Amino acid sequence: MTWSLIRLSDTPTVPWRNGGGTTRELAAWPAGEGWAWRISVAQVAADGPFSHYPGVQRWFAVVQGPGVRLAVDGQVREVDVASAPLAFDGAAAVESWLLAGPTQDLNLMVRRERARGAMARLRGPQRFVTGADGVIAVYALDAPTTLHGRGGGTCVELPPQSLAWRHLPAGTELEVATTGAICMEITPQPGGAPLRPH
């Protein structure tokens, strides 16, 4: 399969139930409520709690705006565009306060019984080799990003504020040419079914 590419501007905006922001889903597999993993971008416009997702591991990275102060089960941390992504339990009690205005963030959610995940902020070119069969996803921030895979990969150009993702076999070498991007890796739990979108 080739890379799937989606621009943030091409995704529908869904309001939060509490009115504190909006969400745009970039990718999920499988589609629908029974996803094993989901990647979305949220626009946070007001202080308030996060939704509960028992059984889900979450990652949170600020991609635009001043950032937020989060209290995760009482542990307080400030997260901004310079911070590493924050990982936390989807069942945790999370309160959010805007630091100085609306903030946009990238979210990765993975159901623990199905998969494992990781998220990292890239500030320059990087090369790595996949350790297991799974899904690689890269979100370009404010500048174009190029992905070039060897041993089963292909080349793709990402415009700013867009996501590319695909299944890659173990041992695939991937080069990411960027000045700012978020990279995510999603692999099946040991003994679990392969994560093979489409």
Side-chain angles (χ1 to χ4, degrees):
M1 63 171 288
T2 59
W3 289 89
S4 295
L5 176 63
I6 185 166
R7 298 173 186 259
L8 180 64
S9 59
D10 292 337
T11 59
T13 300
V14 180
W16 293 357
R17 291 180 181 176
N18 65 8
T22 58
T23 296
R24 293 182 174 187
E25 183 180 283
L26 293 173
W29 185 84
E33 294 297 322
W35 47 261
W37 58 266
R38 179 177 185 264
I39 300 170
S40 62
V41 170
Q43 189 76 24
V44 185
D47 301 342
F50 279 21
S51 298
H52 290 270
Y53 285 93
V56 172
Q57 182 68 25
R58 299 186 64 173
W59 288 262
F60 173 96
V62 173
V63 295
Q64 284 187 355
V68 297
R69 179 179 295 110
L70 297 180
V72 182
D73 282 341
Q75 299 293 315
V76 179
R77 178 173 173 179
E78 290 189 357
V79 185
D80 60 23
V81 293
S83 303
L86 177 65
F88 59 94
D89 189 337
V94 181
E95 290 285 338
S96 172
W97 298 271
L98 297 173
L99 293 181
T103 292
Q104 189 180 88
D105 60 75
L106 181 70
N107 299 280
L108 168 65
M109 295 191 288
V110 175
R111 296 196 194 277
R112 288 195 187 90
E113 78 274 11
R114 302 281 303 277
R116 296 173 293 180
M119 178 188 279
R121 186 182 294 273
L122 307 182
R123 295 181 173 86
Q126 186 164 326
R127 177 185 297 176
F128 62 92
V129 178
T130 56
D133 287 1
V135 173
I136 296 293
V138 178
Y139 184 75
L141 297 175
D142 297 325
T145 291
T146 301
L147 309 179
H148 182 70
R150 299 178 181 175
T154 55
C155 186
V156 62
E157 301 281 345
L158 281 74
Q161 296 187 330
S162 63
L163 178 82
W165 60 275
R166 67 164 293 182
H167 178 271
L168 290 175
T172 301
E173 183 178 332
L174 183 66
E175 298 177 4
V176 184
T178 186
T179 57
I182 305 290
C183 184
M184 293 155 279
E185 184 172 9
I186 307 157
T187 55
Q189 288 286 10
L195 300 173
R196 290 187 178 276
H198 306 301

